[in-house]
Amino acid sequence: MTTTIVGLDVHDVRFPTAAAGDGSDAINRGDYSATYVELRTDGPHVGAGLTFTNGRGNEITCAAAGALSHHVVGRTVEDIFAAPVTFWRSLTADAQLRWLGPEKGVIHMATGALVNAVWDLRARLAGVPLWRLLAEMPAAELVACVDFRHISDAITPDEAIELLTKAEPGYAERLALLEREGFPAYTTSVGWLGYPDDKVRALTRAAVDEGWRAVKMKVGGNITDDVRRAGIIRSEIGPDALLMMDANQVWDVDEAIANMTRLAVADPYWIEEPTHADDILGHARIARAVEQLSAGRCHVATGEVAANRVIFKQLLQARAISICQVDSCRIGGVNEVLSVLLMAAKFGVPVCPHAGGVGLCEYVQHLSIFDFLRVGTSLDGRMIEYVDHLHEHFVDPVAIRDGRYLLPRSPGYSVAMKPASVTEFTFPNGPAWR
């Protein structure tokens, strides 16, 4: 029996987060938004996927998702997964749309939404959460989902199969550990750049009381203010907790090094996006500098807006990062995420996915769980970002206990939104926007 995708609905869903400063950083002050797609089938199942945006850009990604829909509608799920790379390339190499990328920006983000929706549908048909679907797939089937074009100088299909095969021993023990304790996490909700000092202090104190031992703050404003806010957070979390910093690409290379020299007093664990996302050599230079000024205690992390697997390949080859922050839907969905997880494992770089956006926590928990069970096999240096915003709009929201993600149980990729929320926050005609 086959399942045919008979229709694709695209929703422009936006949440008014800017007014409260939620999600604010050195560059962004928008409203958390999602290009939300639903794949209707000739059966009872619906596949859900989204890509995260930050306001008005949502109308462009919605249009892109619609422009790509003919590559999905009319296909059977079984046909798609019989040749997954062929399907993936039908989206990424569309003869008339590829020119707008290639494999980056709006078209690639829309690709991620559609690809993830297809994977959500497959997991729902199998009756399992996506992490389990991936974790129980044979190595050869997983590798067959990856497009190795342009990354074979970093990892080959044979190397990927060997890596996955070597990771098989201990699977049951690792799964039992996650069942018992959950997956380590850190919170970003204490330190948005638009929050006043008293709110930062109160939120940090509350986070410590809730069991968080790793927190992240935004930097990239006035450096004196950044140093002061870092001091507030460090005083509240104590000397042993981890403090991460995120500059959201606002600094030049020399500026990043100078500012991190001043911020080193707060003992940061990493500096995230210290400069332009595409500046591989700049990240490499910053990485060498912060390693020296911190005696190896501070790392460079990036990846939330890294456009594709080729950028990640270069970041890893240049030793420009020691924390890989792949985003679930900035790149081309599950297929391309698999390639990044495999490359990161080969280069010995831990993956801590980006989740600062609506629906991203729901997404990336599946990726990290799979990574631990089948690829990286270690929790050393691994954490999932957590932001305490907008989870109430999802049918299967994340569950957090003592600063750790609990395993998702419901079938799918956890990003199906409640119909009432879609209606309420659809732009511009939803009641929230009238």
Side-chain angles (χ1 to χ4, degrees), residues 253-254 256-258 260-261 264 271 282-300 319:
V253 173
D254 290 333
I257 294 169
M260 289 309 299
T261 301
I271 176 60
H283 276 90
R285 186 167 158 230
I286 296 167
R288 291 192 296 270
V290 298
E291 182 179 18
Q292 292 175 359
L293 67 89
S294 68
R297 292 174 61 85
C298 186
H299 306 270
V300 166
R319 302 189 181 279

Side-chain angles (χ1 to χ4, degrees), residues 176-205:
L177 174 65
L178 294 183
E179 295 273 8
R180 185 171 63 251
E181 299 181 6
F183 200 102
Y186 70 90
T187 179
T188 301
S189 297
V190 304
W192 298 115
L193 203 62
Y195 287 173
D197 288 358
D198 57 349
K199 184 171 183 177
V200 170
R201 186 181 297 278
L203 289 172
T204 304
R205 190 169 295 176

Side-chain angles (χ1 to χ4, degrees), residues 93-411:
D94 180 297
Q96 296 185 39
L97 297 179
R98 184 180 184 273
W99 188 260
L100 302 181
E103 296 183 31
K104 63 174 69 73
V106 169
I107 294 296
H108 214 47
M109 292 170 70
T111 293
L114 270 60
V115 168
N116 287 341
V118 169
W119 279 95
D120 175 72
L121 181 56
R122 182 179 179 183
R124 291 179 184 278
L125 289 167
V128 296
L130 182 78
W131 67 263
R132 185 177 291 278
L133 175 72
L134 293 171
E136 294 179 353
M137 287 171 63
E141 186 176 357
L142 285 167
V143 171
C145 293
V146 174
D147 188 349
F148 285 89
R149 184 163 57 185
H150 304 312
I151 62 169
S152 60
D153 56 322
I155 190 168
T156 66
D158 288 344
E159 287 175 322
I161 289 176
E162 181 181 5
L163 190 154
L164 288 164
T165 302
K166 284 184 177 179
E168 289 174 357
Y171 174 91
E173 291 78 10
R174 292 192 294 276
L175 178 56
L177 174 65
L178 294 183
E179 295 273 8
R180 185 171 63 251
E181 299 181 6
F183 200 102
Y186 70 90
T187 179
T188 301
S189 297
V190 304
W192 298 115
L193 203 62
Y195 287 173
D197 288 358
D198 57 349
K199 184 171 183 177
V200 170
R201 186 181 297 278
L203 289 172
T204 304
R205 190 169 295 176
V208 171
D209 291 342
E210 292 168 5
W212 293 99
R213 295 297 176 263
V215 304
K216 188 168 79 179
M217 64 175 292
K218 298 291 184 175
V219 295
N222 179 282
I223 184 59
T224 301
D225 292 341
D226 288 346
V227 172
R228 185 188 68 254
R229 293 168 63 252
I232 291 171
I233 296 174
R234 176 55 75 188
S235 70
E236 293 294 335
I237 65 177
D240 298 326
L242 297 181
L243 172 59
M244 287 77 78
M245 299 177 179
D246 184 358
N248 289 97
Q249 312 165 51
V250 75
W251 294 329
D252 284 343
V253 173
D254 290 333
E255 185 182 15
I257 294 169
N259 288 343
M260 289 309 299
T261 301
R262 293 187 60 179
L263 287 162
V265 66
D267 190 23
Y269 178 63
W270 76 50
I271 176 60
E272 180 175 333
E273 290 198 311
T275 193
H276 192 286
D278 295 341
D279 190 352
I280 309 300
L281 298 182
H283 276 90
R285 186 167 158 230
I286 296 167
R288 291 192 296 270
V290 298
E291 182 179 18
Q292 292 175 359
L293 67 89
S294 68
R297 292 174 61 85
C298 186
H299 306 270
V300 166
T302 198
E304 71 178 73
V305 297
N308 51 53
R309 66 200 183 285
V310 180
I311 295 292
F312 280 103
K313 178 190 74 170
Q314 295 176 74
L315 288 166
L316 293 165
Q317 288 175 327
R319 302 189 181 279
I321 55 171
S322 48
I323 305 290
C324 175
Q325 293 182 303
V326 66
D327 183 275
S328 55
C329 54
R330 165 73 62 171
I331 62 176
V334 172
N335 301 64
E336 195 164 30
V337 169
L338 290 174
S339 71
V340 175
L341 297 180
L342 290 164
M343 286 190 291
K346 179 182 174 180
F347 283 84
V349 172
V351 177
C352 299
H354 167 244
V358 59
L360 300 188
C361 294
E362 278 71 23
Y363 262 149
V364 300
Q365 58 183 337
H366 293 269
L367 304 177
S368 285
I369 292 165
F370 163 73
D371 182 35
F372 175 55
L373 292 176
R374 289 294 306 277
V375 188
T377 71
S378 172
L379 292 180
D380 186 27
R382 274 75 170 179
M383 296 176 285
I384 304 175
E385 184 174 17
Y386 177 72
V387 293
D388 190 17
H389 305 297
L390 306 172
H391 302 293
E392 67 273 17
H393 299 293
F394 292 88
V395 175
D396 181 30
V398 295
I400 296 287
R401 183 181 66 205
D402 297 328
R404 300 172 84 92
Y405 277 77
L406 304 183
L407 294 185
R409 303 291 184 186
S410 299

